[in-house]
Amino acid sequence: MLLTIPDLLDAPALARVRALVEGGAWIDGNATSGPQAALAKRNEQLAEDDAAGIEAGRIVLDCLGRSPLFVAAALPLKVFPPLFNRYSGGQAFDAHVDNAVRLKRGSDFRLRSDLSMTVFLADPADYDGGELVVEDLFGEQRVKLGAGDAVLYPASSLHRVEPVTRGTRLASFLWVQSMVRDDGERRILFDLDRAIQRVGAEKGQSDRAVVELTGVYHNLLRRWADA
């Protein structure tokens, strides 16, 4: 499932994140690449131990925690500390699949990457190209969102970033280990959750049907989740 999360970062959070990362220490993006990705990746990113990037990542994590849409869709168990990258001057990231396991350098923190997320930090009018292209059973999904918007998609997807031919594409990226490993099961739970919210808004949360549907949701979560 590919899901857009509008306004994940509100205007103050976006401004603070941009101010932090634009003053950070940028390095070759292949510092975190595996052997295959290194052949495809041409960009810059903030070092994982960069103080500005760490503070900006905390802001992104706080916004994720306050997003009901993210929580409902991802059912997060672990979230990798957000990283930041930028593309300009024809830089791109050719087709690749993210590593199945991500390890934070210099620590024992690791997660299984069930979901990938890109948080767009630059206005799309400020750069040409730079679309995130995710391949799925329905073909290629091309994503270029407003500053502060985010997209969540399966980390198992073949995806790429198109060359940036004008301006600079600035973004945060991260991975999520979900309580529910299977993408199809997460989709069922997400659809059920949204349906429950709609019915609850119409009938009230104490309505018998809402209570029973909520029970079905939690029994499915209980069956599928690793917590």
Side-chain angles (χ1 to χ4, degrees):
M1 178 177 68
L2 185 150
L3 179 70
T4 296
I5 304 177
D7 299 316
L8 177 70
L9 304 185
D10 61 19
L14 175 63
R16 181 62 178 149
V17 167
R18 283 193 57 123
L20 284 165
V21 302
E22 286 173 355
W26 293 88
I27 61 174
D28 188 325
N30 279 314
T32 58
S33 298
Q36 187 181 60
L39 300 175
K41 186 178 183 182
R42 300 177 301 282
N43 67 7
E44 294 179 295
Q45 70 182 53
L46 287 183
E48 287 190 53
D49 59 355
D50 181 79
I54 292 170
E55 185 176 348
R58 291 193 188 104
I59 297 171
V60 174
L61 287 174
D62 182 61
C63 291
L64 286 174
R66 292 186 282 107
S67 170
L69 186 57
F70 167 75
V71 173
L75 296 170
L77 179 62
K78 298 180 185 178
V79 179
F80 197 89
L83 301 173
F84 297 88
N85 60 20
R86 66 184 183 188
Y87 296 77
S88 61
Q91 290 178 325
F93 199 162
D94 298 335
H96 64 285
V97 173
D98 291 339
N99 290 347
V101 176
R102 308 296 312 196
L103 173 66
K104 180 172 172 55
R105 293 175 185 271
S107 78
D108 59 359
F109 179 85
R110 70 179 65 220
L111 56 70
R112 182 187 66 240
S113 59
D114 297 320
L115 294 159
S116 298
M117 171 173 270
T118 298
V119 184
F120 291 81
L121 301 176
D123 189 314
D126 291 342
Y127 64 99
D128 293 334
E131 294 86 357
L132 172 66
V133 183
V134 181
E135 299 182 25
D136 63 20
L137 295 175
F138 301 100
E140 292 187 347
Q141 310 297 316
R142 303 179 70 86
V143 184
K144 185 175 181 178
L145 303 177
D149 297 343
V151 62
L152 187 69
Y153 58 97
S156 57
S157 301
L158 194 66
H159 57 281
R160 67 183 187 271
V161 176
E162 296 283 60
V164 174
T165 57
R166 178 186 66 86
T168 300
R169 177 194 192 268
L170 182 66
S172 177
F173 62 102
L174 56 96
W175 299 276
V176 180
Q177 179 173 331
S178 176
M179 291 186 289
V180 178
R181 180 194 296 251
D182 183 78
D183 184 62
E185 292 170 353
R186 282 196 310 274
R187 177 60 184 266
I188 290 170
L189 288 166
F190 179 68
D191 289 344
L192 179 57
D193 180 52
R194 290 178 60 100
I196 291 169
Q197 298 308 315
R198 287 195 298 270
V199 175
E202 294 173 2
K203 295 180 173 293
Q205 293 297 325
S206 61
D207 182 85
R208 177 63 182 244
V210 176
V211 173
E212 290 178 351
L213 286 170
T214 301
V216 171
Y217 174 90
H218 284 284
N219 285 333
L220 288 173
L221 184 61
R222 186 175 291 111
R223 175 181 291 268
W224 292 333
D226 295 314

